[in-house]
Amino acid sequence: MSRAENHFRQIIIGSGAAGLTAAIYSARAALRPVVFEGSQPGGQLTTTTEVENFPGFEEGILGPQLMEVMKKQALRFGAEFLSRDVEKADFRQGALAVVAGGESYSADSVIIATGAAPRMLGLANEKKFIGRGVSTCATCDAFFYRGKKVVVVGGGDSAMEEASFISKFASQVTLVHRRKEFRASKIMQDRIFGIKNITVIWDTLVTDIIGDDKAGVTALRLKNVKTGRESDFPTDGFFLAIGHTPNSRAFAGQIELDDQGYILTREGTATSAPGVFAAGDVVDHHYRQAITAAGMGCMASLDAEKYLAALKK
Ligand code: NAP
């Protein structure tokens, strides 16, 4: 492909709820966006099962199905999809440039919607049981654990928030933390200590997830870091709340990031580089919902459209 063929009015990086919503809006606005789908097309929602809180689906919808429908909607208006990961970006030149699959591309505007990855423990069974007892999102999945026993791992604000939310559904929530104190803010800790069906196991690591194909997760193997003692702890569900890593590495040095790597935006979705906009979990470490990411994707598309109109391109 020649250089001219690799130049677009708009490049959208990422194909989760934010990227696909941006693609729908931009395609409808005749910006002919090209979406770099990345290594996990559809984003985090493709790792969940039932989504019951996305407005418009009275009976709920499967996460992968929701993403598929959104993609079809973007395709219908002429968005183009490339199944490539963006490895590098150069936003300092006049044209906004990215490298994906070893090839260079440029655009008049770029929307970054690369999301964030929930941190995992790295256990052998973790991925196998995702959606079948292992979850990284209490807001999405707590509802499925009504009257059941659940373990939450982590000691930060996320773990407190998740445990507190799940305690409204589950009969028993056990917080497992690797140290003797939480790093969460005092107000969040106090809230946890005041909830009757939450107990804490300190100084303990989760070293294995036990279960089978039929029942899903049935227990966790726990190891006390002080005594070295291991034991199996029966549970119906296991929520990971040990933080997220924003997928922003390819943009480091090109746009302003905060100290955790989240993209900083101003005036809506504008980043520090003119013509580059950002939306979804790569910006937002607070709400992290499919619907908020979709809303930001819409905002980024409208912001980019206005920018392009001012450029008269
Ligand atoms: P975080 O503050 O980085 O906490 C991560 C927790 O997970 C820590 O307690 C850490 O243990 C534990 N952890 C990390 N890796 C682990 C591993 N391999 N095995 C076992 N435990 C592990 O992450 P976060 O809680 O997601 O919070 C991220 C940011 O968002 C923070 O700035 C937080 O204040 C903010 N936040 C705010 C709110 C709110 O205000 N409502 C809600 C959620 C998040 P150690 O403590 O031993 O390191």
Side-chain angles (χ1 to χ4, degrees), residues 119-121 153-159 161 176-179 181-185 188 204-205 241-244 260 285-286 288:
R119 280 187 217 133
M120 308 295 278
L121 291 172
V153 68
D157 283 334
S158 291
E161 204 165 64
V176 174
H177 184 41
R178 63 184 177 183
R179 292 188 293 130
E181 60 181 355
F182 289 136
R183 77 168 55 235
S185 52
M188 303 279 274
T204 297
L205 296 174
I242 59 171
H244 284 74
Q260 292 178 59
H285 51 76
H286 187 69
R288 294 196 198 113

Side-chain angles (χ1 to χ4, degrees), residues 122-230:
L123 302 175
N125 274 343
E126 218 164 20
K127 292 229 163 87
K128 174 178 166 187
F129 285 117
I130 273 276
R132 291 188 303 133
V134 173
S135 171
T136 55
C137 174
T139 323
C140 318
D141 297 331
F143 190 74
F144 303 118
Y145 292 91
R146 267 173 302 175
K148 295 190 173 176
K149 288 184 180 163
V150 167
V151 169
V152 177
V153 68
D157 283 334
S158 291
M160 305 300 116
E161 204 165 64
E162 306 263 286
S164 162
F165 186 77
I166 299 164
S167 73
K168 295 178 185 132
F169 303 90
S171 58
Q172 180 63 45
V173 178
T174 307
L175 255 170
V176 174
H177 184 41
R178 63 184 177 183
R179 292 188 293 130
K180 183 72 187 157
E181 60 181 355
F182 289 136
R183 77 168 55 235
S185 52
K186 184 163 182 322
I187 184 167
M188 303 279 274
Q189 295 194 33
D190 288 347
R191 204 169 294 161
I192 285 298
F193 294 133
I195 300 174
K196 283 203 177 68
N197 61 339
I198 298 181
T199 51
V200 183
I201 299 181
W202 302 105
D203 292 323
T204 297
L205 296 174
V206 176
T207 56
D208 201 2
I209 301 168
I210 300 155
D212 56 59
D213 287 343
K214 206 161 160 238
V217 172
T218 55
L220 299 176
R221 184 147 305 145
L222 303 183
K223 182 179 182 180
N224 184 298
V225 292
K226 294 262 166 76
T227 63
R229 236 192 81 212
E230 284 199 291

